[in-house]
Amino acid sequence: MRVLIACEYSGVVRSAFAAKGHTAVSCDLLPTDNPHGWHVQGDVLALLNQDWDLMIAHPPCTHLAVSGARHFEAKRASGVQQEALEFVRALLNAPIPRIALENPVSIISSKIRKPDQVIQPWQFGHGETKATCLWLKGLPKLKPTNIVDGRVPRVHHLPPSADRWKLRSTTYAGIAAAMADQWGEVVAQMEAA
């Protein structure tokens, strides 16, 4: 299966799909943190028409997440919030049969549509809280794989640092593995039918 991981520099989701034997390519404006795998540094919109079977998209939440609501007026006035929403629409409307778009709780819910699912890291082996919304096209909801104790909002309470934004946006390995296991299997079954 050909899988495009949009807006991913970490390589976590790309590696999870590659480990299952899929051709996985990440794309981001930033260079990848994990050089083991295929990564395109550039605008993902240029890659959307390349016959992908599945896309997992992680659009930047900077201008969308409700955690930054106090800045929304300025973001609307400058046009950056509308631009971010248009980018999300372009990803959701890509000519790819199966799409999962993830973002924290954000205005995507009110401006585009409600998410199909909200997941937490503790449902996938990480004893932490971080509500992650999933907008799905042609894919089933993810099933929890390893419900663990611990409801610590670790990511929310990270101290200020130069790489705080990177730490906050990296996908948990347990969630990436569940995506590769469950969605990779579903797509394989659909393709075989």
Side-chain angles (χ1 to χ4, degrees):
M1 178 171 66
R2 288 175 38 85
V3 184
L4 174 62
I5 314 300
C7 311
E8 183 191 52
Y9 59 84
S10 70
V12 173
V13 178
R14 180 191 70 213
S15 295
F17 276 91
K20 292 290 181 181
H22 302 290
T23 300
V25 178
S26 59
C27 180
D28 197 274
L29 296 175
L30 298 174
T32 184
D33 286 351
N34 178 357
H36 305 290
W38 290 332
H39 180 75
V40 175
Q41 185 175 348
D43 185 349
V44 73
L45 296 179
L47 301 179
L48 296 182
N49 290 308
Q50 294 188 9
D51 200 29
W52 303 101
D53 298 302
L54 169 65
M55 176 175 64
I56 312 294
H58 311 275
C61 65
T62 307
H63 305 305
L64 303 171
V66 297
S67 59
R70 68 181 180 267
H71 304 291
F72 278 0
E73 186 176 333
K75 290 177 183 206
R76 281 191 296 270
S78 71
V80 295
Q81 191 171 76
Q82 185 60 31
E83 184 178 309
L85 285 166
E86 290 304 318
F87 182 63
V88 167
R89 283 187 184 94
L91 293 172
L92 288 172
N93 294 325
I96 300 170
R98 293 161 205 90
I99 296 172
L101 185 135
E102 72 82 30
N103 230 245
V105 176
S106 70
I107 62 166
I108 296 171
S109 299
S110 59
K111 300 293 184 182
I112 298 177
R113 70 175 175 89
K114 300 252 185 258
D116 296 289
Q117 183 177 18
V118 180
I119 59 174
Q120 290 281 352
W122 55 263
Q123 296 173 305
F124 301 90
H126 304 274
E128 303 175 25
T129 59
K130 182 186 178 203
T132 301
C133 300
L134 299 174
W135 288 264
L136 306 172
K137 171 184 160 186
L139 293 168
K141 293 179 180 178
L142 279 181
K143 295 177 187 157
T145 56
N146 183 16
I147 296 175
V148 296
D149 292 332
R151 303 293 186 267
V152 179
R154 181 191 64 83
V155 171
H156 179 71
H157 293 295
L158 286 172
S161 69
D163 63 349
R164 182 175 191 256
W165 65 274
K166 274 190 162 189
L167 297 171
R168 288 177 58 108
S169 66
T170 300
T171 302
Y172 288 86
I175 293 173
M179 290 174 172
D181 287 342
Q182 295 175 38
W183 291 338
E185 181 66 24
V186 165
V187 172
Q189 289 173 357
M190 290 176 168
E191 298 287 321

